[in-house]
């Protein structure tokens, strides 16, 4: 997850010192709308990062030879608990379910309407400006855990299969980024069949979006996250023609088994298919500062951050063996 203003000097030092030591060559930072957008100033969260602060991260990544990939979590995750995110605060007209779910009770996270005629003008401006600030040749669009899609009360989306809506949104984002020669990364859970696989509604889809897999552009990099078990779903994406990275979080044994699977897939596959198993993307959801605190062994970092650091270090050590 992305840093606060106060985190920047420490993060820059962390990138320069810790990441090369651990063998990291890619850093995905979830900024969302934590940036002072010039073209869309209404989209900047309170306390958002300035361009100068972003450039400190960019400089550190260049020095450490780490590829910086910014992320804005799109489609779903437009709220958290009772609070809407910046997109729906600034543009409530983009909500897929306006007027429904007061205080966001009874739902996980809100979504924006992917067929709203104005939403992509705003999103593309934000994507372009953040990608330019980060000097990035790749962009992570998130799109995990999308539970609200094709709502029956949405005049634009109702009656349309969720797989169609999801595929349309992926295509819009992909085509825009492709015009800028920017590689698209995204989470893979909505492409997996939750019922057939036994993965359920979190690590996979039970609302039909998995039907969009056939239309997934082959040059999209999929981040295949599984936190409780080392599921073999990376093979699904590789067989579809996509490069895939396996994404653990805080259970070290799960991460090590994921790496074992990647090695087994590479060893048993033809060279073209084997090359699509692109590695490991370790995740942390405790915040940038907490992760660095845990890495430095500071007390009070929190159990999740400590576990995530342990898992990250073990995964990087194991993955370094090829």
């Amino acid at each position: 997850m992305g840093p606060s203003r106060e985190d920047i000097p420490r993060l820059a030092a962390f990138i320069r010192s810790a990441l090369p030591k651990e063998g990291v060559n890619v850093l995905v930072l979830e900024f969302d709308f934590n940036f002072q957008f010039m073209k869309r100033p209404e989209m900047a969260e309170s306390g958002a990062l300035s361009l100068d602060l972003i450039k400190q991260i960019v400089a550190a990544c260049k020095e450490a030879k780490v590829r910086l990939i910014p992320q804005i979590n799109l489609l779903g995750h437009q709220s958290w608990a009772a609070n809407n995110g910046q997109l729906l605060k600034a543009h409530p007209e983009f909500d897929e379910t306006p007027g429904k779910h007061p205080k966001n009770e009874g739902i996980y996270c809100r979504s924006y309407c992917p067929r709203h005629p104005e939403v992509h003008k705003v999103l593309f401006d934000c994507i372009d400006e953040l990608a330019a600030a980060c000097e990035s040749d790749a962009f992570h669009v998130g799109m995990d855990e999308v539970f609200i899609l094709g709502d029956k009360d949405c005049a634009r989306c109702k009656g349309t299969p969720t797989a169609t809506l999801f595929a349309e949104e992926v295509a819009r984002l992909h085509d825009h980024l492709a015009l800028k020669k920017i590689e698209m990364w995204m989470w893979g859970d909505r492409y997996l069949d939750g019922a057939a696989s036994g993965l359920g509604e979190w690590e996979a889809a039970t609302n039909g979006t998995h039907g969009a897999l056939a239309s997934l552009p082959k040059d999209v990099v999929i981040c295949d996250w599984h936190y409780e078990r080392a599921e073999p779903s990376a093979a699904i994406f590789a067989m579809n023609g996509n490069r895939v990275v396996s994404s653990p979080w805080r259970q070290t044994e799960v991460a090590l088994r994921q790496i074992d699977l990647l090695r087994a897939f590479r060893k048993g596959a033809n060279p073209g298919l084997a090359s699509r198993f692109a590695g490991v993307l370790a995740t942390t959801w405790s915040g940038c500062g907490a992760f660095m605190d845990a890495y430095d062994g500071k007390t009070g970092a929190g159990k999740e951050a400590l576990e995530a650091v342990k898992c990250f270090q073990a995964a990087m050590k194991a993955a370094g063996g090829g």
Side-chain angles (χ1 to χ4, degrees):
M1 297 177 69
S4 66
R5 288 180 179 179
E6 294 73 22
D7 288 330
I8 298 299
R10 187 179 174 201
L11 175 60
F14 184 82
I15 291 168
R16 288 186 172 96
S17 60
L19 296 192
K21 182 177 72 174
E22 300 291 350
V24 173
N25 56 14
V26 170
L27 175 63
V28 177
L29 279 181
E30 184 181 349
F31 290 97
D32 292 326
F33 300 105
N34 183 25
F35 179 52
Q36 294 175 5
F37 298 100
M38 299 299 293
K39 192 167 184 178
R40 297 284 181 176
E42 82 279 9
M43 292 305 302
E45 296 173 353
S46 176
L49 303 177
S50 67
L51 180 59
D52 287 345
L53 291 174
I54 294 281
K55 289 303 183 185
Q56 291 183 39
I57 300 173
V58 173
C61 286
K62 287 181 177 179
E63 186 176 325
K65 295 182 172 55
V66 171
R67 185 188 190 194
L68 175 61
I69 302 178
Q71 177 183 343
I72 297 177
N73 210 345
L74 299 175
L75 194 54
H77 280 280
Q78 301 307 314
S79 68
W80 190 251
N83 300 311
N84 287 351
Q86 190 62 28
L87 178 66
L88 297 186
K89 285 181 181 177
H91 294 280
E93 68 275 16
F94 295 161
D95 195 342
E96 172 74 358
T97 52
K100 298 177 71 172
H101 315 299
K103 298 182 180 180
N104 300 334
E105 292 181 1
I107 63 171
Y108 176 55
C109 294
R110 289 187 179 272
S111 300
Y112 64 75
C113 175
R115 286 184 169 180
H116 193 286
E118 301 296 321
V119 68
H120 294 97
K121 295 177 184 178
V122 175
L123 293 178
F124 290 165
D125 283 345
C126 292
I127 289 170
D128 292 350
E129 195 170 341
L130 181 58
C134 292
E135 301 177 30
S136 299
D137 61 358
F139 198 94
H140 200 303
V141 300
M143 297 185 72
D144 62 322
E145 300 173 339
V146 179
F147 297 130
I148 296 178
L149 187 62
D151 186 78
K152 64 182 179 63
D153 294 318
C154 176
R156 293 172 291 268
C157 298
K158 66 180 179 180
T160 304
T162 56
T164 300
L165 293 168
F166 196 80
E168 285 178 354
E169 185 64 0
V170 169
R172 289 187 197 98
L173 297 170
H174 168 268
D175 292 352
H176 177 78
L177 290 168
L179 286 173
K180 308 287 182 177
K181 294 181 168 44
I182 294 175
E183 183 177 65
M184 179 165 142
W185 288 44
M186 66 181 294
W187 302 115
D189 53 289
R190 296 305 94 187
Y191 286 113
L192 302 174
D193 186 335
S197 66
L199 292 173
E201 66 178 350
W202 293 94
E203 296 178 47
T206 57
N207 64 350
T209 58
H210 57 277
L213 180 62
S215 61
L216 172 63
K218 307 303 184 189
D219 57 348
V220 172
V221 178
I222 295 296
C223 303
D224 181 43
W225 66 269
H226 298 289
Y227 299 155
E228 305 296 328
R229 295 172 304 276
E231 305 288 357
S233 49
I236 294 173
F237 297 109
M239 291 290 287
N240 193 61
N242 297 87
R243 292 173 63 232
V244 58
V245 293
S246 293
S247 299
W249 175 20
R250 59 192 181 103
Q251 292 195 26
T252 299
E253 286 304 310
V254 172
L256 296 180
R257 296 294 75 75
Q258 285 176 328
I259 293 168
D260 288 343
L261 278 173
L262 289 176
R263 288 205 173 100
F265 289 146
R266 286 176 177 174
K267 184 177 180 180
N270 65 76
L273 182 58
S275 68
R276 296 178 195 148
F277 297 98
V280 177
L281 179 72
T283 69
T284 178
W285 303 107
S286 301
C288 195
F291 186 84
M292 291 188 292
D293 284 346
Y295 187 88
D296 291 339
K298 293 186 177 180
T299 59
K303 182 175 183 286
E304 287 188 356
L306 290 167
E307 291 174 344
V309 165
K310 181 181 177 182
C311 182
F312 158 69
Q313 291 183 307
M316 292 301 101
K317 182 178 180 180

